[in-house]
């Protein structure tokens, strides 16, 4: 085991953990988006879904603490790698042309920072209810927390819409490189599948972000009320 | 043709460097980039000035020593070639061209455009030997290797160790180089006995030399004079993970007589 442990301390091992934690977060983000799409089914669906999640406190808190741990590891390793990488080229080129790198891949640190700020804001806003909606304590007709009402209230505010859309832009950029990149980092390659792997990043990014943006805009434009 | 060159000059490893402008006139379109520099140096010599130091040897694209970053791109604007195979007809007449050395912490500058790439040699050394029986040459076709596998291994083996992958990578990572070296042996039966030890030692050496990590941007593949595929980097990641698992299994039963020496 000590061998395996020392393997994970190398640059390649660190990237592998970055990729594994990243993929964990990606899976969460996908299910988060799918769950929230229930806003289109009306208050009953969303509120009882939220109540269903909160009805299992052990599971809920295990998931929350697990996710938080994964996110912290991801961010700490990302910072560690970025600093190391900066040290690897002390003197920059005066001219540096990219030939192939996507814009998303060049802005991973920036999109990561946007995501970090957004996640903190989002948790304070809709999870903890510390920022924003006075409606956080609302109870619906069935006695559930009125998550639906809270959302409607939140996204009628143009400022909130702007903040959330900015978070989605960060997510789109980060995911579109991250998903394909993690496939490579985890050692998967095959002549027949490489195009699929390459397309995976932008596709996952597009689906997740479209789903989330649909919710935000549908409420803001009054399509969902 | 005539060009304005903006060349990095640095007297020695610990001196401060700077860019100096030179005019290259009477350049024939058929001159290679290095021949053009030869002509510039000739004039400098005649004028009693110190010629521009740059590395070169074979001038036919196989030794990998002609390491120049030309207008921000290692080995210049064309794909799949080294600097010595780049011809001046590729540039518009009157162009201004910036020439820099490979820039990486692991490649300290020796003089002007010449860098010390022995970090790559030390990574190779860490990889170590392969076990073969010495003596008479082995009969042909004793070791059967599938055509696809042999070809893939040869693709990896075409790496000439020029270091352009490091020079192009925003993290100055040597992953494509190490990937090529690890893959070409890992794919063949000759490389099998030391397979796990080799990849672990080479990654360890790579980190020790101060190269960065791979961001999967694939700039390396785009500048590689041998167009080595980044798929070998996935192979390297896989080999390294495999080695971690195999070695941890072996070290827990290290009295096993057949265990690989670690
Ligand atoms: C919270 C703030 C975040 C920061 C600061 C951050 C930062 C980074 C950085 C710098 C990289 C490295 C890219 C490279 O090596 O070139 C990375 C990779 C990655 N990130 Fe994040 N990230 C964050 C959040 C997320 C989230 C929320 C997800 C998933 C939804 C995610 C998924 C990934 C994945 C899958 C990778 C790919 C690993 C690889 O290159 O193999 N990240 N992240
Ligand atoms: S001088 Fe040998 S590859 Fe260019």
């Amino acid at each position: 085991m000590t061998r395996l442990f020392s393997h994970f301390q190398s640059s390649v091992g660190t990237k592998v953990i970055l990729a594994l934690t990243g993929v964990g977060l990606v899976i969460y983000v996908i299910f988060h988006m799918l769950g929230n799409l229930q806003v289109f089914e009306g208050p009953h669906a969303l509120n009882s879904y939220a109540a269903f999640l909160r009805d299992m406190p052990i599971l809920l808190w295990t998931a929350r603490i697990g996710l938080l741990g994964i996110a912290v590891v991801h961010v700490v390793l990302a910072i560690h790698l970025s600093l190391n990488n900066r040290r690897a080229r002390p003197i920059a080129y005066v001219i540096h042309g990219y030939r192939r790198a996507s814009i998303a891949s060049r802005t991973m640190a920036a999109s990561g920072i946007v995501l970090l700020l957004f996640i903190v804001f989002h948790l304070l806003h809709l999870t903890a209810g510390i920022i924003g909606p006075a409606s956080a304590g609302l109870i619906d007709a069935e006695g559930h927390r009125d998550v639906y009402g809270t959302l409607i209230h939140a996204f009628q505010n143009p400022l909130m819409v702007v903040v959330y859309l900015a978070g989605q832009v960060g997510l789109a950029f980060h995911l579109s490189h991250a998903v394909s990149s993690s496939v490579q980092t985890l050692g998967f390659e095959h002549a027949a599948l490489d195009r699929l792997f390459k397309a995976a990043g932008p596709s996952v990014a597009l689906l997740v972000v479209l789903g989330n943006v649909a919710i935000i805009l549908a409420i803001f434009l009054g399509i969902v009320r | 043709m005539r060009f304005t060159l903006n060349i990095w000059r640095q007297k020695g490893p610990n001196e401060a460097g700077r860019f100096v402008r030179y005019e290259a006139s009477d350049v024939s379109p058929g001159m290679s980039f290095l021949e053009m520099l030869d002509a510039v140096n000739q004039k400098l010599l005649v004028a009693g000035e110190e010629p521009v130091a740059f590395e070169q040897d074979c001038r036919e694209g196989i030794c990998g020593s002609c390491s120049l970053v030309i207008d921000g791109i290692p080995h210049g604007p064309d794909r799949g070639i080294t600097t010595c195979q780049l011809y001046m007809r590729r540039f518009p007449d009157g162009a201004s061209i910036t020439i820099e050395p490979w820039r990486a912490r692991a490649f300290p500058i020796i003089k002007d455009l010449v860098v010390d790439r022995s970090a790559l040699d030390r990574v190779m050394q860490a990889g170590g030997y392969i076990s073969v029986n010495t003596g008479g040459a082995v009969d042909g076709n004793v070791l059967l290797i599938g055509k696809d596998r042999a070809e893939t291994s040869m693709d990896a083996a075409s790496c000439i160790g020029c270091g352009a992958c490091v020079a192009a990578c925003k993290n100055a990572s040597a992953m494509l180089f190490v990937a090529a070296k690890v893959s070409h042996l890992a794919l063949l039966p000759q490389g099998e006995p030391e397979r796990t030890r080799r990849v672990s030692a080479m990654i360890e050496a790579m980190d020790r030399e101060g190269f960065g990590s791979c961001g999967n941007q694939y700039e390396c593949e785009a500048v590689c004079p041998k167009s080595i595929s980044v798929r070998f980097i996935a192979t390297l990641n896989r080999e390294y993970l495999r080695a971690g698992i195999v070695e941890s299994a072996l070290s827990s039963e290290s009295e096993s007589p057949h265990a690989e020496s670690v």
Side-chain angles (χ1 to χ4, degrees):
Chain A
M1 273 329 267
T2 48
R3 279 262 142 210
L4 200 58
F5 183 71
S6 73
H7 260 62
F8 282 118
Q9 291 181 315
S10 69
S11 62
V12 176
T14 309
K15 280 275 334 195
V16 167
I17 298 180
L18 186 75
L20 288 176
T21 51
V23 168
L25 293 171
V26 171
I27 292 171
Y28 169 74
V29 164
I30 292 172
F31 281 100
H32 185 59
M33 180 275 286
L34 291 175
N36 287 346
L37 281 181
Q38 294 180 66
V39 79
F40 289 107
E41 305 213 346
H44 173 72
L46 191 70
N47 289 349
S48 44
Y49 167 64
F52 163 74
L53 291 182
R54 292 209 181 212
D55 270 350
M56 307 175 290
I58 298 186
L59 219 68
L60 180 71
W61 279 99
T62 313
R64 279 179 171 175
I65 292 170
L67 267 175
L68 196 68
I70 288 177
V72 168
V73 170
H74 186 82
V75 173
V76 168
L77 291 185
I79 294 172
H80 170 75
L81 279 174
S82 303
L83 293 180
N84 239 0
N85 289 339
R86 193 150 303 169
R87 272 197 292 276
R89 173 164 296 129
I91 303 177
Y93 293 108
V94 289
I95 302 186
H96 185 54
Y98 281 106
R99 310 205 70 175
R100 168 136 184 213
S102 65
I103 292 176
S105 76
R106 295 185 225 163
T107 50
M108 285 303 275
S111 62
I113 289 168
V114 169
L115 273 183
L116 183 60
L117 295 176
F118 173 72
I119 291 170
V120 171
F121 178 84
H122 178 51
L123 289 179
L124 292 177
H125 175 217
L126 288 177
T127 307
I130 294 170
I131 301 177
S135 59
L138 291 184
I139 304 288
D140 73 0
E142 287 159 63
H144 295 317
R145 274 173 83 254
D146 190 8
V147 176
Y148 186 87
T150 312
L151 277 186
I152 302 287
H153 183 78
F155 293 132
Q156 277 167 356
N157 177 354
L159 197 65
M160 281 299 167
V161 172
V162 169
V163 170
Y164 273 76
L165 288 184
Q168 293 308 308
V169 172
L171 188 62
F173 273 81
H174 204 72
L175 289 192
S176 99
H177 178 65
V179 174
S180 300
S181 174
S182 53
V183 173
Q184 171 90 351
T185 303
L186 296 176
F188 298 102
E189 50 83 29
H190 190 280
L193 295 178
D194 275 356
R195 284 177 52 203
L196 183 76
F197 293 157
K198 222 178 139 201
S203 318
V204 171
L206 195 70
L207 286 179
V208 171
V209 168
L210 275 185
N212 288 340
V213 168
I215 297 170
I216 301 168
L217 288 187
I219 295 175
F220 182 60
L221 299 176
I223 299 166
V224 169
R225 275 177 289 185
Chain B
M1 303 177 87
R2 47 178 301 120
F3 300 97
T4 305
L5 308 177
N6 203 16
I7 303 181
W8 181 262
R9 301 298 311 260
Q10 180 172 337
K11 287 207 173 71
N14 301 317
E15 314 273 334
R18 68 198 171 93
F19 282 96
V20 180
R21 242 167 219 292
Y22 297 96
E23 297 298 326
S25 46
D26 297 329
V27 176
S28 117
M31 276 184 175
S32 77
F33 202 85
L34 300 187
E35 285 171 312
M36 182 274 297
L37 286 179
D38 288 340
V40 170
N41 275 344
Q42 201 62 40
K43 282 195 190 142
L44 286 178
L45 277 172
V46 169
E49 287 177 48
E50 182 77 11
V52 178
F54 61 92
E55 209 181 338
Q56 48 88 30
D57 186 28
C58 72
R59 298 211 174 189
E60 55 176 353
I62 55 172
C63 75
S65 47
C66 49
S67 45
L68 301 180
V69 173
I70 299 161
D71 285 339
I73 300 173
H75 294 307
D78 278 334
R79 294 207 169 209
I81 57 163
T82 51
T83 304
C84 58
Q85 297 169 294
L86 175 65
Y87 292 92
M88 296 317 292
R89 56 174 173 266
R90 181 63 176 73
F91 297 87
D93 195 10
S96 155
I97 305 173
T98 300
I99 311 173
E100 296 175 78
W102 276 189
R103 294 218 187 266
R105 179 156 70 107
F107 292 162
I109 293 179
I110 296 173
K111 188 179 180 187
D112 296 341
L113 302 169
V114 181
V115 301
D116 178 359
R117 288 174 298 138
S118 53
L120 296 183
D121 299 335
R122 288 189 292 273
V123 173
M124 287 299 281
Q125 251 168 9
Y129 55 81
I130 60 165
S131 297
V132 287
N133 292 323
T134 53
V138 185
D139 286 343
N141 295 334
V142 167
L143 268 178
L144 294 178
I145 301 167
K147 172 82 173 158
D148 285 355
R149 186 162 273 257
E151 290 291 346
T152 310
S153 175
M154 278 306 291
D155 287 347
S158 64
C159 170
I160 54 176
C162 65
C165 44
V166 177
C169 175
K170 97 178 156 47
N171 301 338
S173 168
M175 283 287 277
L176 189 61
F177 169 79
V178 180
K181 299 304 179 190
V182 163
S183 303
H184 99 258
L185 287 175
L187 286 162
L188 297 177
Q190 288 90 338
E192 191 65 32
E194 292 83 16
R195 182 173 165 193
T196 35
R197 198 205 59 79
R198 180 185 313 113
V199 62
S200 301
M202 288 180 84
I203 292 289
E204 206 173 286
M206 176 186 92
D207 285 351
R208 201 163 47 230
E209 296 294 341
F211 294 106
S213 66
C214 179
N216 298 327
Q217 289 191 316
Y218 308 151
E219 287 293 311
C220 50
E221 182 184 274
V223 301
C224 176
K226 302 298 159 186
S227 303
I228 292 175
S229 166
V230 291
R231 279 178 54 200
F232 290 117
I233 295 182
T235 306
L236 171 61
N237 291 332
R238 203 167 61 235
E239 285 294 315
Y240 186 70
L241 280 175
R242 176 188 171 280
I245 294 163
V246 171
E247 285 180 357
S248 67
L250 285 181
S251 66
S252 60
E253 43 170 307
S254 53
E255 61 281 357
S256 157
H258 299 295
E260 251 188 55
S261 56
V262 176

